[in-house]
Amino acid sequence: MIIYKVMRAQCLSAHLKICFPKPAVFNVSSIRCNQTLQGLELIQNGELLTIAEVRKKFMDLMGLQAGFRTLKQSRAHLLQYLPASQDELPTRTIKETFQSAIIPLSTNVRLQEKYVSVLGHVRAGRLMEDMDIFAAWVAMNYIKNPKQPPDVPTPYVIVTVLVDQISFTDFVPKAQADIRLSGIVSSVGRSSIETTVWLEQQQHGQWQKITSAIFLMAARNANISGSAPVNKLVAADDEEKLILAEAEVRKKRRHFEDSGSVLNKVPAPDEQHVIHNLFVNSVDMHNPTINRRVLPPGTVWMADTKRSNIIFSHPEDRNLHNKVFGGFLMRQALELAWIVGYFHSKHRPKLLHISDISFKKPVDVGSLLGMTGQVIYTEENYMQIIVHAEVTSPFSGQQVTTNVFHYTYEAPDYATKVMPNTYHEAMMYIDGRRHFQEVMGLKSSS
């Protein structure tokens, strides 16, 4: 699926009000929508869909049959029901886009086995999978197409483009209590849909916040051969105007960060100074020459933090378009990043943030998917970890990067500093430093 930016969920009160006060610790963008949501009869009656039912309804909506088939089912006949422009579609308001679902852990022991970690907590990677499919569900339900007959599958396909950022609260979810997913559409373009999704778990009769995320989804036509127009989103009140305004700020920030990437621009003067200091600190003072470097005390070479695995993707890992499910990739990458942090810090690290998950290319079922993770920056007891996902051809040996994931972990003790040994690694170090400073609120994101 396709995902955009994740943000910290702050509270959902009385099932009908969503509010996101500004986080007290981290300078992460937050949505504030204090409006009362209307028309939520299912919420009020407690008749929420389970996440499994969401998947089933999603398949029905697209007219897909259960079971894996090597030959892809044609949906070309649905192109006739696709509108030519946004002007053919009715406008929507934010409150109309609200959706919610339940992960019924309290009553399903077999499901608990799937979600539980060795410490009895919920595996964050499993939650990423559910947030991904739910974000796509929110986006698909946003689209109202008058050209589509009631008994005809949708001519739309929803794919994941990016997850902007995910931040976690201090609440640790348990594997024996229900988890609720909720979401809204917070912005749209011509064919893009930004959805905000948040998770909560019941504890002592209260819904406790776990995390929230902003997903950028793309609407494609039935053949996935081109973009498809979606309904325009208009603000019904001042709260919705604020939500749309904040989405515009995020859009500009993403553009600013893309243009300032180390792939596009020379590092800033202060960052060049950081690189030079790293070099000077690694010069052998007993033999001070440029071509000899030594590891300073209390540091490790960045390359020595690297861990990797190879995954053979099976049909059970696919999405509704017979590509490897984005949530599966997110789970595998997150669990590898945790292992990297565990080896480096010698402690079980705590996940604080997931940022800038980019989906560069789709992954075919049956691909040999290699994932490589390493620590690229540390500060005090924090670690910035990157994971690259690459598809490798066993015939040519060619590698294609399909996904890049950035994680911020906290260790209970000081994290050993990493030392880049090449210019390539120095750029990774600067990139990790930028991500860390942004998610920790140490620099402006605009």
Side-chain angles (χ1 to χ4, degrees):
M1 298 291 162
I2 293 180
I3 324 172
Y4 235 50
K5 165 149 188 151
V6 181
M7 303 185 332
R8 187 171 187 166
Q10 297 303 309
C11 69
L12 176 65
S13 60
H15 299 307
L16 291 178
K17 281 195 176 183
I18 309 170
C19 58
F20 297 91
K22 187 174 182 179
V25 180
F26 302 110
N27 184 21
V28 179
S29 298
S30 58
I31 291 180
R32 292 166 293 277
C33 46
N34 295 319
Q35 80 250 19
T36 299
L37 301 173
Q38 303 296 328
L40 303 182
E41 292 82 4
L42 290 179
I43 305 294
Q44 293 169 325
N45 296 332
E47 300 173 0
L48 294 182
L49 295 174
T50 66
I51 193 65
E53 290 170 337
V54 165
R55 290 190 178 94
K56 175 62 169 60
K57 284 183 172 291
F58 213 145
M59 290 187 64
D60 293 342
L61 191 63
M62 296 189 63
L64 300 178
Q65 299 176 357
F68 176 71
R69 292 167 179 78
T70 55
L71 297 179
K72 187 177 178 181
Q73 183 178 343
S74 174
R75 302 181 75 243
H77 62 287
L78 300 174
L79 294 175
Q80 61 183 307
Y81 304 116
L82 198 67
S85 71
Q86 288 182 302
D87 295 333
E88 298 180 23
L89 300 170
T91 58
R92 307 293 311 280
T93 62
I94 291 176
K95 64 170 60 70
E96 294 173 339
T97 70
F98 183 84
Q99 298 285 330
S100 196
I102 283 287
I103 306 172
L105 296 176
S106 65
T107 57
N108 192 325
V109 177
R110 293 187 63 184
L111 198 62
Q112 291 176 14
E113 291 284 334
K114 181 179 177 181
Y115 282 77
V116 69
S117 71
V118 294
L119 298 178
H121 305 153
V122 173
R123 294 167 58 185
R126 290 295 187 192
L127 297 180
M128 295 302 100
E129 288 183 317
D130 291 335
M131 292 179 78
D132 185 33
I133 187 68
F134 185 74
W137 173 250
V138 172
M140 183 63 85
N141 277 274
Y142 170 76
I143 300 170
K144 299 301 179 185
N145 179 16
K147 293 187 65 175
Q148 178 186 339
D151 56 343
V152 171
T154 178
Y156 284 86
V157 171
I158 299 294
V159 293
T160 304
V161 177
L162 177 77
V163 181
D164 210 342
Q165 190 178 100
I166 305 170
S167 296
F168 292 81
T169 68
D170 292 331
F171 178 77
V172 179
K174 304 298 189 297
Q176 294 78 33
D178 291 345
I179 292 176
R180 181 170 62 190
L181 304 97
S182 302
I184 58 171
V185 171
S186 44
S187 177
V188 301
R190 180 192 173 276
S191 60
S192 62
I193 304 174
E194 181 189 275
T195 66
T196 300
V197 174
W198 58 98
L199 299 184
E200 303 158 292
Q201 186 173 65
Q202 257 194 344
Q203 185 181 68
H204 309 304
Q206 299 292 325
W207 289 101
Q208 303 293 332
K209 289 74 66 181
I210 302 172
T211 184
S212 71
I214 295 180
F215 296 78
L216 186 61
M217 325 298 288
R220 310 283 287 173
N221 63 28
N223 281 341
I224 321 183
S225 59
S227 61
V230 300
N231 306 70
K232 294 179 180 179
L233 185 65
V234 297
D237 51 37
D238 289 342
E239 292 291 346
E240 294 193 355
K241 288 179 181 177
L242 179 59
I243 294 172
L244 294 178
E246 290 181 333
E248 186 63 26
V249 171
R250 290 192 294 272
K251 180 180 178 180
K252 292 180 179 178
R253 181 191 56 77
R254 285 190 291 267
H255 177 74
F256 175 80
E257 291 178 352
D258 287 344
S259 63
S261 166
V262 293
L263 296 174
N264 300 319
K265 186 178 293 186
V266 175
D270 65 309
E271 294 173 331
Q272 296 179 39
H273 186 68
V274 168
I275 296 171
H276 186 260
N277 280 343
L278 290 171
F279 166 73
V280 171
N281 290 337
S282 64
V283 170
D284 185 356
M285 300 309 297
H286 299 291
N287 185 16
T289 59
I290 291 179
N291 67 328
R292 289 180 60 84
R293 298 187 67 193
V294 296
L295 191 64
T299 65
V300 297
W301 293 119
M302 182 185 292
D304 291 339
T305 69
K306 188 178 295 184
R307 304 283 169 179
S308 61
N309 60 15
I310 295 180
I311 303 164
F312 182 74
S313 54
H314 295 279
E316 67 173 323
D317 307 323
R318 74 191 188 281
N319 60 18
L320 299 181
H321 325 305
N322 269 1
K323 301 294 183 180
V324 174
F325 176 41
F328 172 80
L329 298 174
M330 292 172 67
R331 174 167 65 86
Q332 294 291 337
L334 188 152
E335 293 180 351
L336 176 60
W338 186 89
I339 292 171
V340 170
Y342 194 7
F343 269 97
H344 185 72
S345 67
K346 308 300 187 294
H347 297 279
R348 296 179 184 272
K350 176 185 176 183
L351 178 62
L352 295 181
H353 302 277
I354 306 174
S355 59
D356 286 7
I357 300 179
S358 57
F359 290 75
K360 299 179 180 298
K361 293 181 180 297
V363 179
D364 292 326
V365 173
S367 296
L368 294 178
L369 182 66
M371 287 195 172
T372 302
Q374 64 185 122
V375 181
I376 58 174
Y377 181 77
T378 63
E379 188 165 326
E380 299 296 336
N381 60 323
Y382 299 100
M383 299 172 288
Q384 195 68 35
I385 298 173
I386 191 171
V387 175
H388 287 93
E390 297 176 318
V391 171
T392 303
S393 169
F395 305 105
S396 66
Q398 181 181 8
Q399 293 182 330
V400 177
T401 300
T402 60
N403 305 85
V404 181
F405 307 82
H406 295 268
Y407 304 92
T408 306
Y409 279 92
E410 180 183 12
D413 200 357
Y414 180 82
T416 304
K417 291 185 177 296
V418 293
M419 176 65 65
N421 197 26
T422 64
Y423 188 78
H424 175 83
E425 290 182 349
M427 292 302 97
M428 294 175 66
Y429 184 95
I430 292 300
D431 191 46
R433 181 174 179 265
R434 289 178 179 180
H435 279 92
F436 176 77
Q437 289 183 341
E438 180 179 347
V439 300
M440 300 301 288
L442 302 178
K443 72 170 185 178
S444 173
S445 60
S446 61

